[in-house]
Amino acid sequence: REHAAAAAGGELARRRRRRRLGLRSRVTLVFSVGALVLAAVVATLAFELARKDLLSERQTSAKRQAFANAGLVRSDLRTPNADITAFLGTLPTGNESDSLVYRRGHWFGSSVGLGPSRLPGDLVNQALSGQAATQRFAQGGTTEYAVAVPIPAVDAVYFQVFSLRELDSTLRILSASLAVAAVVTTLAGAMVGIWASRRALQPVRDRS
């Protein structure tokens, strides 16, 4: 009888431990999943807001520069015997953009080998019809942003293509940082879940 009672007591204790472990696991899992979902939502919203703000700022700056350069091109083309190609090389375009001019059936680029194939067809057609246009597109694995400005006073269209490589790099770094933050938040949620489960099960352990 004593042996049977001891065996029954041992089995009861094992069942209690399994229940406590199961409850602790469920509490920890709930906290972990909750932290993961919250971190993912916050990270996604933060990334999208940052992406839109940075992209809008970069595109606004690009359009401002393109229209200013188009004004300079118009002034140069009004002079006799203007050398369009040479003048394009003097424009303040920086290392992250290139310029092209279409005039009277001919293309002129700011660098050797730069031609209309670099530009999206829809953008070119819209600009040649007399409408200013912008378009973001992928070129050689890099995102680029093109601005087209018709210059009817000199029968020309000015195009400027901006590389968004630096912006893409910034967004990749931001994405990686937010992913790390999400993982850390999830681990912190798991730790809180472990602590909460221990606190919740303390009365049960005290009674047993």
Side-chain angles (χ1 to χ4, degrees):
R1 292 180 182 178
E2 292 179 358
H3 180 73
E11 181 63 24
L12 181 60
R14 285 192 293 272
R15 289 180 180 177
R16 287 177 177 176
R17 284 196 296 271
R18 284 196 295 269
R19 284 198 297 270
R20 288 200 296 267
L21 289 174
L23 179 58
R24 181 182 301 174
S25 299
R26 288 194 294 271
V27 172
T28 302
L29 180 62
V30 167
F31 274 86
S32 300
V33 172
L36 176 61
V37 171
L38 178 61
V41 170
V42 172
T44 301
L45 290 176
F47 178 80
E48 285 301 317
L49 288 174
R51 186 185 68 83
K52 289 180 180 179
D53 287 343
L54 291 173
L55 185 58
S56 176
E57 181 180 351
R58 182 68 179 99
Q59 292 181 166
T60 299
S61 175
K63 285 189 287 187
R64 187 183 301 117
Q65 184 181 26
F67 275 86
N69 285 344
L72 296 175
V73 170
R74 179 182 58 192
S75 298
D76 180 73
L77 291 179
R78 283 176 171 172
T79 61
N81 302 318
D83 188 339
I84 304 176
T85 302
F87 183 74
L88 289 177
T90 67
L91 289 176
T93 58
N95 296 326
E96 293 296 318
S97 69
D98 294 299
S99 299
L100 298 97
V101 168
Y102 177 82
R103 191 187 195 200
R104 298 170 183 171
H106 299 283
W107 287 90
F108 307 88
S110 60
S111 61
V112 178
L114 181 62
S117 59
R118 174 88 175 271
L119 300 168
D122 293 341
L123 177 85
V124 174
N125 293 335
Q126 185 174 346
L128 295 182
S129 69
Q131 301 179 34
T134 62
Q135 186 171 337
R136 194 169 69 251
F137 61 99
Q139 179 74 27
T142 302
T143 304
E144 295 189 328
Y145 182 66
V147 182
V149 185
I151 316 175
V154 291
D155 191 22
V157 181
Y158 175 73
F159 299 88
Q160 189 163 350
V161 183
F162 298 84
S163 172
L164 301 183
R165 183 184 299 106
E166 184 177 351
L167 177 60
D168 288 344
S169 177
T170 299
L171 292 176
R172 282 194 296 270
I173 294 173
L174 176 61
S175 177
S177 299
L178 290 173
V180 171
V183 171
V184 172
T185 302
T186 302
L187 293 176
M191 296 302 294
V192 172
I194 293 173
W195 174 82
S197 64
R198 287 178 177 175
R199 295 278 295 179
L201 292 173
Q202 185 62 44
V204 176
R205 287 197 297 269
D206 293 341
R207 285 197 300 269
S208 59

